[in-house]
Amino acid sequence: MTTTGEEHARALTGPWWWARWRSAVLDGSLALVSAVECGAEGIPFARDAGIPVAVGIVFGLIAGSVLLVRRKWPIAVVLVAIAITPAQMGFLMGIVGLYTLATCELPRRIIVALAGMSLLGTMIVTLVRVRQDMARGDLTLGDWFVPFASITTSLGLTAPPLLLGLYVGARRRLMESLRERADSLERELQLLAERAEERAEWARNEERTRIAREMHDVVAHRVSLMVVHAAALQAVARKDPEKAVRNASLVGDMGRQALTELREMLGVLRAGEGAGGRAASAPLVAVGVAAAEAASRAAGEDGGVEGPCLSELEELVGQSAAAGMVVDLSVQGEVRSYAAEVEQTAYRVVQEALTNVHKHAAGAKTYVRLAHRGEEIAMQVENEPPPEPASASAVRLPSGGNGLVGMRERVVGLGGVFVSGPTDAGGFRVSAVIPAA
């Protein structure tokens, strides 16, 4: 974890403007040493200036203690150090002040200007002091030593802390930039993980919805017809044994068809369980690879198992007719083939609409219309009112209320339009238009 942002704010535990207590202790120690130095240097300054020694000491102590605020006001510290340079005091404060100034995020022109003032002040003071010493005879070197001593002294007191401060400041800013980038990357990775989890949850919900829809389409229609035939078998068992035998054979055939479709569906689900278990424990970086493999695997499976198509529509209508429904099938336009998902959706819409007629309007005449158009395929299933009001519940078929919802989801998922509702004559109509592409 990085120490930027909120964690960096929590790390500011020092007093006043200090980030940490150790920084406050360090600045306090430096200020104490600087005050002692300036106080000691205030004694010869008071004698040369002709003022009381106590005043010189107090002046040095006050001036030296300014180093305590070097992190808060570095420019003020450097200006004070430059101001007391003629008094030959504050050498430690000048060095530390220039270092602190160079580490701060201030405009370079301000840093260069203050460093130049400090260099010039130190050079002038050193030049004057060396000339005075040579005039008194304390130094017996040649005249060349005066500029040499002033230049080397001023450079020695100015250049090293300035260069060191610039290096430390640049390194500190680089580290802060790296921390911010690491923090940003961490937030992005967390956001990507949350989005991946949301996408996975959405995919699971979509898969559950699709499985529920397929199970409903497979089971509801077959079982509804089986119940209708069983009711008819019970009614004609004694009166017409041959018709009872035919109904019993139809019930068996429909049951075997329903079991076959359920086995195919469950086989696909079991084949995906192993891959799903492995993907659950896979790291985040493998999500894209796993998704691609799953898509390829699903494409391979879909290619091997053929679903219902429009060519089986006559057989579907014939099954309903065999169950006692009067069905009229009409096809308009040139018959042609469509994409597998388009044909499956059209087939399921008609299948579910016929199932609803068996459930809610048993015995009602039903019209199934299919129209092949240029860019779309349209279907409509409309039934008349049932001949007897009680016939809808004669076979007691349960209804979960998911049929119309499933049809709408299928059609809208392909970019089509789905409309359903009662007719003025008392029947019910289901209409759907699906793009051919």
Side-chain angles (χ1 to χ4, degrees):
M1 294 296 292
T2 60
T3 57
T4 58
E6 296 181 358
E7 295 185 359
H8 181 68
R10 289 196 297 267
L12 300 176
T13 57
W16 296 332
W17 57 83
W18 286 284
R20 291 176 293 272
W21 275 99
R22 63 180 183 181
S23 300
V25 172
L26 175 62
D27 290 354
S29 302
L30 290 175
L32 179 62
V33 174
S34 177
V36 172
E37 176 203 353
C38 292
E41 293 170 346
I43 298 175
F45 167 70
R47 291 173 180 171
D48 295 341
I51 59 176
V53 176
V55 175
I57 296 175
V58 171
F59 173 76
L61 292 175
I62 295 175
S65 61
V66 176
L67 194 59
L68 186 66
V69 297
R70 70 181 185 95
R71 298 178 190 267
K72 185 70 172 177
W73 296 295
I75 297 179
V77 173
V78 175
L79 289 176
V80 171
I82 294 173
I84 64 176
T85 299
Q88 292 187 339
M89 62 174 65
F91 294 103
L92 177 62
M93 183 168 60
I95 294 174
V96 177
L98 284 176
Y99 166 79
T100 306
L101 181 70
T103 58
C104 294
E105 296 183 2
L106 293 173
R108 288 298 178 87
R109 62 178 182 275
I110 296 178
I111 297 176
V112 172
L114 292 176
M117 292 171 59
S118 177
L119 176 67
L120 184 61
T122 305
M123 184 182 300
I124 294 175
V125 171
T126 305
L127 180 65
V128 172
R129 178 60 63 179
V130 171
R131 283 188 177 278
Q132 290 177 353
D133 292 341
M134 293 185 68
R136 288 196 302 266
D138 296 339
L139 294 176
T140 57
L141 298 175
D143 294 338
W144 61 270
F145 183 72
V146 177
F148 175 78
S150 60
I151 293 174
T152 53
T153 302
S154 59
L155 288 176
L157 295 177
T158 305
L162 183 66
L163 295 177
L164 181 61
L166 291 174
Y167 168 75
V168 172
R171 184 175 180 276
R172 183 181 299 167
R173 286 186 289 273
L174 176 62
M175 295 302 295
E176 286 295 328
S177 175
L178 293 177
R179 288 193 188 98
E180 290 178 359
R181 291 181 61 185
D183 228 17
S184 177
L185 289 175
E186 185 177 356
R187 288 193 297 269
E188 290 180 3
L189 288 176
Q190 185 177 1
L191 182 60
L192 288 175
E194 293 176 355
R195 289 182 177 176
E197 185 177 355
E198 292 176 358
R199 287 195 297 268
E201 182 64 25
W202 175 83
R204 286 193 293 268
N205 292 335
E206 287 292 319
E207 187 66 14
R208 282 195 292 265
T209 303
R210 189 184 68 84
I211 293 173
R213 191 164 53 229
E214 291 291 338
M215 295 287 287
H216 178 272
D217 293 340
V218 170
V219 174
H221 181 72
R222 303 292 185 189
V223 175
S224 297
L225 293 179
M226 290 171 63
V227 172
V228 172
H229 282 292
L233 177 63
Q234 183 180 5
V236 302
R238 295 180 181 180
K239 299 178 182 179
D240 192 351
E242 294 182 359
K243 188 175 182 180
V245 171
R246 289 196 301 271
N247 287 340
S249 177
L250 289 173
V251 170
D253 291 340
M254 292 177 185
R256 282 188 291 271
Q257 291 175 3
L259 287 175
T260 301
E261 293 185 9
L262 286 175
R263 287 195 187 100
E264 291 177 354
M265 186 179 299
L266 294 176
V268 172
L269 292 177
R270 290 195 184 98
E273 285 179 358
R278 290 192 300 270
S281 59
L284 180 61
V285 293
V287 170
V289 179
E293 293 178 355
S296 301
R297 186 166 54 253
E301 291 171 353
D302 293 341
V305 179
E306 295 183 0
C309 56
L310 291 177
S311 61
E312 303 174 10
L313 198 59
E314 292 185 2
E315 180 183 355
L316 176 66
V317 173
Q319 292 175 354
S320 295
M325 180 187 295
V326 180
V327 189
D328 181 20
L329 173 62
S330 63
V331 180
Q332 300 176 358
E334 182 181 356
V335 178
R336 63 182 187 276
S337 60
Y338 300 92
E341 56 185 1
V342 174
E343 295 205 9
Q344 291 175 15
T345 300
Y347 180 92
R348 294 300 188 191
V349 169
V350 176
Q351 181 187 52
E352 181 59 30
L354 293 176
T355 302
N356 288 340
V357 175
H358 284 292
K359 289 182 180 180
H360 306 291
K365 187 174 182 179
T366 305
Y367 302 92
V368 178
R369 300 182 181 89
L370 185 67
H372 298 274
R373 301 171 183 172
E375 299 294 334
E376 59 189 15
I377 177 174
M379 65 225 63
Q380 183 182 87
V381 179
E382 180 180 350
N383 63 274
E384 296 179 352
E388 300 179 5
S391 63
S393 60
V395 294
R396 290 189 288 272
L397 288 171
S399 177
N402 297 318
L404 294 176
V405 175
M407 284 190 284
R408 182 182 300 277
E409 289 177 351
R410 284 180 179 275
V411 174
V412 174
L414 295 179
V417 178
F418 179 86
V419 179
S420 64
T423 61
D424 296 337
F428 199 84
R429 181 187 298 117
V430 172
S431 303
V433 179
I434 306 175

